[in-house]
Amino acid sequence: MSQRFQSLEAYVPGEQPADMEYIKLNTNEAPYPPSPGVIAAINESEIRKLFLYPNPDGTRLINKLAEFYHVGADNVIIGNGSDELLAFAFLAFCDGGRGVCFPDITYGFYPVYAELYDVPYEQIPLMDDLSINLSDYCGVNKNIIIANPNAPTGIALPLGDIEAIIKSNPEFVVLVDEAYVDFGAESAIPLTRKYDNLLVMHTYSKARSMAGARLAYAIGPEPLIGDLRKMKYSFNPYNVNRLTQIAGEVALQENEYYVKMREKIVKTRESTVSRLSEMGFLMTHSCANFIFAKLPGVSGYELYSALKARGILVRHFSKPRIADYVRITIGTDEQMDRLCNEIALIRTR
Ligand SMILES: *Cc1c(COP(=O)(O)O)cnc(C)c1O
């Protein structure tokens, strides 16, 4: 392997063990299938067309996304998941002279890409309550990535704070990763018409039940989107396959289904939060489809392992400041009942 990658620490996705059937609450997927039209659209006639390459621009999907978000088609790019669009953003906007910053506790892929692309990066510590201190991001003179709501804390910044960050760093790109925005935060997409340094990224993986299809999009001013497009055409022009493009279009047409689904997930989140706090858990205020919880007296790893032994997967991060916590994806009501019942047994053991 090349010398420069020998010490690279790759991203570690949530586990998918095959030894038994688990209730999977460890990667923030939706617990419900895609909408009926999406399922019907991936039919034999579309599968028969797989001998053809997909449309490299994703023109039809991009036009639908542009209409949906009231922006121009030149303001949208699609990618094979946000992870790919993030890679394009690192390539396009960051280098030795233009570093990047993000919180010390956030999506684990940001530092991996910074290392992979050899970009200087600063991890800005969250405050003790795991929230972002706004002034830490004002006038930093670096590119900035903020997940809003943040992961794995679920804590959201108000749009006014995001706007203050954008305004105070006019010469640098502010990338707002809104993977979870539809579960209870305010989107910065409307601000992309006002600021030329803002990029907003959304994924179909969480709030649109399509983690397995690999689809995401970025919205921003035309010059920034053009730069991302240049990276895409230098890396993988056919990055989103035919079936996924179709699924993405139909999902937008059936937005009502997803709105209802998210309302249901948020309701399940709130009832789970109540039950866990009755059992003595401490949690951050989640605006996402997961909760970040700790039980005083029980380590995060203990809780993770005890749940795994009982057939429930949650995510544990062995990082110093958050080792006491587990991140629990919100599943169906039935799955969360099972979770709470198993936790009650673990506590009284
Ligand atoms: C899940 C997640 C992503 C990755 O989404 P994909 O579109 O599935 O690649 C990006 N950012 C955050 C904060 C996430 O939680």
Side-chain angles (χ1 to χ4, degrees), residues 81-83 107 110 147 151 177 179-180 203 205-206 214-216:
S82 327
D83 292 338
Y107 185 42
Y110 308 151
D177 179 348
Y180 302 103
T203 174
S205 294
K206 318 293 171 42
R214 311 305 302 129
L215 181 60

Side-chain angles (χ1 to χ4, degrees), residues 8 66 75 102 141-142 171 205 221-222 268 287 296 336:
L8 177 69
N75 303 116
F102 39 80
N141 286 332
K142 289 185 180 74
E171 302 301 320
S205 294
E222 190 277 323
T268 307
C287 298
M336 302 321 274

Side-chain angles (χ1 to χ4, degrees), residues 11 27-29 79-86 106-110 113 146-152 177-180 201-206 210-212 214-217 289-290 327:
Y11 179 74
T27 47
N28 298 343
E29 292 136 320
N80 192 303
S82 327
D83 292 338
E84 187 189 53
L85 291 173
L86 275 167
T106 189
Y107 185 42
F109 226 126
Y110 308 151
Y113 276 145
I146 287 189
N148 195 39
N150 196 11
D177 179 348
E178 295 188 337
Y180 302 103
M201 221 167 256
H202 281 195
T203 174
Y204 276 69
S205 294
K206 318 293 171 42
M210 248 190 262
R214 311 305 302 129
L215 181 60
Y217 48 96
N289 69 334
F290 56 83
R327 192 195 66 191

Side-chain angles (χ1 to χ4, degrees), residues 100-111 121-127 130-133 136-137 143-153 155 157 165 175 177 319 321:
V100 62
C101 64
F102 39 80
D104 63 337
I105 295 160
T106 189
Y107 185 42
F109 226 126
Y110 308 151
Y121 62 104
E122 183 189 358
Q123 295 177 290
I124 300 177
L126 293 179
M127 294 195 287
L130 302 183
S131 67
I132 280 175
N133 181 19
D136 288 347
Y137 293 83
N143 295 315
I144 296 171
I145 307 180
I146 287 189
N148 195 39
N150 196 11
T153 64
I155 299 171
L157 276 184
I165 294 169
L175 194 163
D177 179 348
K319 282 185 69 163
R321 292 181 73 192

